[in-house]
Amino acid sequence: MQKLKQRWEIQKSWQLIFPFLGAALTLLTSYFISQGFINAFGFNGHHYKWLILILIIPVLYILFIKFFIWCFKKVENRWKVDYKWEMIAIFIVFALTGSAAGKLAGPLVHWIGLDNDNIPGVIFWTVRILLIFPIYQILLVFIGWLFGQYEFFWNFEKKMLKRLGLGTFLR
C-alpha cells in the first residue's frame, strides 16, 4: 500500500479512492468490451461463455492499464497538476463525461423529434454530434468539479473554446 501511495503521491487516505476507482472502472470496461466480443462472435448462449470471459477480461484489463500508464507518462509534463493521483481523477472525469454526453444526446435528439427512422442517417448523426459538443462542455466542468478538479477543467475549457474561436463567450 505504501508503494501505491508513493507512486501516485497520495498524502491522505481519501485520495486512495482515485486509483481504486480507476482500477474498478477499467475492470468494468474490460467486462463490457468482453461481453461485446462474445455477442459479436455469437458465443452469448454458448456454455463456454464464462470461460471466454475469464480469459478475455484479464488480458483487456492489463492492456488498458498499460495504455493508461503510457498516457499518464505522455501528459505528465503537459498537465499542470500538483500530485500524480490527480491525473487519475482527470482521466476518470474525461471517461465519465464522454460516456454521459453520448448517453444524454440520444434522449435529447428523440425529445426534439429527430429519430433515425424519420430523418436520413447523415442528418440524424450530424445533429446528435452537434448536441453532444455543448453537453460535453458543460458536463466536463461539472463532473470535474465533483471530482475536485474544477480549476484544471475550467482552464482546459477556456483553452479549448479559445482555439475554436469561441473565447468571446468566456467574458
Side-chain angles (χ1 to χ4, degrees):
M1 186 63 74
Q2 202 59 26
K3 192 174 181 181
L4 178 73
K5 285 183 173 183
Q6 287 175 346
R7 178 184 176 112
W8 294 105
E9 300 174 348
I10 293 173
Q11 281 74 41
K12 298 179 181 166
S13 294
W14 68 267
Q15 296 165 345
L16 282 169
I17 193 168
F18 295 110
F20 288 124
L21 184 60
L25 291 173
T26 303
L27 186 61
L28 188 63
T29 301
S30 300
Y31 170 75
F32 286 139
I33 291 175
S34 299
Q35 280 287 88
F37 285 146
I38 286 173
N39 292 338
F41 293 111
F43 290 117
N44 202 15
H46 205 271
H47 60 278
Y48 291 122
K49 174 185 173 182
W50 290 105
L51 177 63
I52 295 169
L53 278 175
I54 291 170
L55 294 174
I56 295 175
I57 291 172
V59 171
L60 285 177
Y61 181 77
I62 290 168
L63 289 174
F64 286 144
I65 292 294
K66 287 186 178 286
F67 173 72
F68 294 141
I69 297 293
W70 177 79
C71 289
F72 288 146
K73 288 178 184 175
K74 284 290 202 188
V75 298
E76 190 172 21
N77 296 325
R78 292 177 57 199
W79 289 355
K80 305 296 184 240
V81 294
D82 296 327
Y83 305 104
K84 289 183 180 180
W85 64 264
E86 291 178 301
M87 291 190 340
I88 299 172
I90 291 167
F91 271 70
I92 292 171
V93 169
F94 277 124
L96 292 176
T97 303
S99 299
K103 288 288 185 187
L104 289 173
L108 189 58
V109 170
H110 178 72
W111 181 72
I112 60 175
L114 302 175
D115 289 311
N116 213 5
D117 301 334
N118 62 1
I119 61 170
V122 173
I123 295 172
F124 172 79
W125 284 106
T126 303
V127 170
R128 186 172 171 142
I129 290 169
L130 288 174
L131 282 173
I132 287 174
F133 183 73
I135 293 169
Y136 182 83
Q137 305 311 312
I138 293 165
L139 285 177
L140 190 62
V141 175
F142 178 71
I143 295 174
W145 172 75
L146 288 176
F147 278 76
Q149 299 300 317
Y150 174 80
E151 187 177 330
F152 175 86
F153 284 104
W154 181 240
N155 291 333
F156 183 87
E157 194 66 37
K158 289 189 292 189
K159 185 190 294 184
M160 184 181 352
L161 291 175
K162 284 178 185 172
R163 286 181 181 169
L164 293 172
L166 302 172
T168 56
F169 292 114
L170 299 172
R171 293 181 191 159

